Amino acid sequence: MPAPFTERLLGWFAEHGADLPWRSDPQPYHIWLSEIMLQQTRLETVIPYYRRFLRACPSIEALAAKPLDDVLKLWEGLGYYSRARNLHRAAKIVVCQHDGALPQTADALQKLPGIGAYTAGAIASIAFGQAAPVLDGNITRIFTRLLDMDEDITKAASKRKLWQIARDWLPDQAAGDHNQALMQLGQLVCRPRNPLCSSCPLAQGCRARLASTISQRPLRARRAPLPHFQVAAGVIRDDQRKLLIAQRPLDGLLGGLWEFPGGKCEAGESLCDCLRRELREELAIVVEAGECLAVVEHAFSHFRITLHAFDCRYVGALPPHTEPQKLGVRDWTWAHESELSRYSFGKADRMVIAQLG
């Protein structure tokens, strides 16, 4: 970034920098945790989760020692649960291989699970003062507007160009403040809609503002409609009215979370047929399906679902078994309805639980 831009940006940040909990106590662990939580999640949502997480896991060592189920419960409701699983894995690696201290360079940080180029640059520059660039959606928007870039930012060549700009414009000193200033400018001022150009310290040299193309930047290819799936799940009770819940495998969507067992309907398959098939394949059990207790609409990042939760009576395990099997699940258990709050569930299943109540 040309020197006058850098001066204006840093001056603006010195005056308007938000008072965030990880800025008031910028330990490397705190910066790492905040950056992982801020991936795909709004700032105001993250802050209470951040504070609660730190109370439960005040250090990398405490996080590494925590059972994964407890970590996922702390993360419940924040979404994108692979972040929590990778954070936990990385903490164990840091304790075992780095004596509990985070690596200080972006290259070394990227060797840890869940830390990509942006997060590595943020940690290295903010926590360790390294001259490491960052590029996320907010900063991409700023750069494409400042330069009035009419290139599709989803293309690999455009991404390489933007990363090079981030490197070229990084000042030799105060890289951490520079990066945080860009992040905050994109969040608060250079917003996707209704940007506050009159409050922007970089407005004077913004080519898109001069060309009246701000609403067209950044340019990206139109996304295809999200696929939509019908999903059947069983609220399965035994003779003691306990509920059968299953834990999802770690290496997939919502890995490690608990759910009412079931799955996606195949072409031409009814909801009840789908439920019976999924329960055979995942747990080797037979149920009697009754009425539909809840219908929940939920959107993930790449698809949408309509979840149909059916009241089911547990009949038994498929011979020769005498209890459910871990065929397509990590674990299973019987729990009273009052005990469900001990387990970490995804949003759709929590919505079902709310309707049961």
Side-chain angles (χ1 to χ4, degrees):
M1 183 174 291
F5 273 24
T6 300
E7 292 171 8
R8 292 183 205 131
L9 180 66
L10 292 176
W12 173 84
F13 185 64
E15 183 178 355
H16 299 284
D19 183 17
L20 301 175
W22 47 89
R23 287 183 184 163
S24 60
D25 189 10
Q27 299 179 35
Y29 172 50
H30 296 178
I31 300 301
W32 175 32
L33 176 61
S34 68
E35 288 298 333
I36 296 298
M37 286 188 166
L38 286 165
Q39 293 170 3
Q40 308 290 331
T41 308
R42 295 175 64 86
L43 176 65
E44 57 269 25
T45 301
V46 161
I47 290 176
Y49 275 93
Y50 170 85
R51 288 179 168 142
R52 183 164 63 100
F53 199 98
L54 269 190
R55 286 195 296 270
C57 304
S59 66
I60 295 177
E61 290 82 0
L63 171 57
K66 207 83 167 170
L68 177 60
D69 285 353
D70 291 355
V71 174
L72 290 172
K73 186 63 181 176
L74 288 168
W75 206 271
E76 187 179 59
L78 199 56
Y80 298 94
Y81 290 89
S82 62
R83 295 181 296 174
R85 297 195 303 274
N86 285 330
L87 187 74
H88 189 244
R89 284 176 56 210
K92 289 180 175 294
I93 292 171
V94 170
V95 168
C96 292
Q97 300 181 16
H98 301 280
D99 296 324
L102 271 177
Q104 297 191 15
T105 67
D107 287 345
L109 285 163
Q110 286 189 72
K111 295 177 181 178
L112 295 173
I115 298 184
Y118 165 80
T119 305
I123 298 169
S125 63
I126 299 168
F128 300 113
Q130 301 280 332
V134 295
L135 182 72
D136 66 353
N138 284 323
I139 297 172
T140 292
R141 186 166 58 254
I142 293 170
F143 287 174
T144 57
R145 286 174 173 173
L146 284 174
L147 298 173
D148 196 23
M149 283 180 58
D150 60 355
E151 304 170 26
D152 181 357
I153 62 167
T154 65
K155 302 293 187 182
S158 299
K159 293 178 182 178
R160 287 193 297 270
K161 181 176 181 178
L162 287 163
W163 269 108
Q164 189 59 53
I165 292 168
R167 284 188 287 270
D168 291 344
W169 288 5
L170 190 68
D172 294 332
Q173 303 294 325
D177 284 351
H178 168 90
N179 288 340
Q180 290 182 93
L182 285 173
M183 297 172 195
Q184 184 168 311
L185 190 71
Q187 292 164 358
L188 302 182
V189 177
C190 195
R191 305 180 303 194
R193 297 177 183 84
N194 303 315
L196 305 178
C197 295
S198 61
S199 302
C200 180
L202 308 181
Q204 182 177 340
C206 179
R207 296 178 186 175
R209 184 182 69 88
L210 295 173
S212 300
T213 56
I214 284 179
S215 63
Q216 301 165 38
R217 304 290 179 261
L219 182 67
R220 56 169 58 88
R222 182 172 296 180
R223 295 179 179 178
L226 293 179
H228 182 210
F229 301 106
Q230 300 294 325
V231 175
V235 181
I236 304 166
R237 299 182 188 270
D238 65 6
D239 294 338
Q240 284 75 47
R241 302 295 293 167
K242 285 186 176 182
L243 291 163
L244 179 62
I245 57 175
Q247 189 178 31
R248 298 176 66 94
L250 290 181
D251 58 348
L253 180 72
L254 304 180
L257 297 190
W258 292 81
E259 67 175 359
F260 296 109
K264 292 188 295 187
C265 287
E266 296 179 350
E269 189 176 43
S270 71
L271 289 166
C272 286
D273 285 345
C274 165
L275 181 58
R276 285 189 284 265
R277 174 184 56 76
E278 287 284 346
L279 296 179
R280 287 195 305 269
E281 293 174 355
E282 292 187 356
L283 292 159
I285 62 172
V286 177
V287 303
E288 287 182 358
E291 66 175 322
C292 184
L293 298 175
V295 178
V296 169
E297 303 284 346
H298 183 54
F300 295 90
S301 57
H302 295 94
F303 63 92
R304 296 183 298 115
I305 66 167
T306 301
L307 174 64
H308 307 262
F310 288 88
D311 184 26
C312 295
R313 185 181 73 84
Y314 180 68
V315 175
L318 290 170
H321 308 296
T322 58
E323 63 179 14
Q325 300 297 297
K326 302 175 188 177
L327 301 181
V329 300
R330 184 180 184 226
D331 202 357
W332 59 269
T333 192
W334 292 99
H336 287 291
E337 202 163 318
S338 61
E339 298 172 326
L340 295 180
S341 61
R342 301 178 187 174
Y343 300 88
S344 50
F345 289 88
K347 184 175 181 180
D349 286 275
R350 294 201 310 277
M351 292 167 73
V352 172
I353 292 171
Q355 292 192 37
L356 292 180

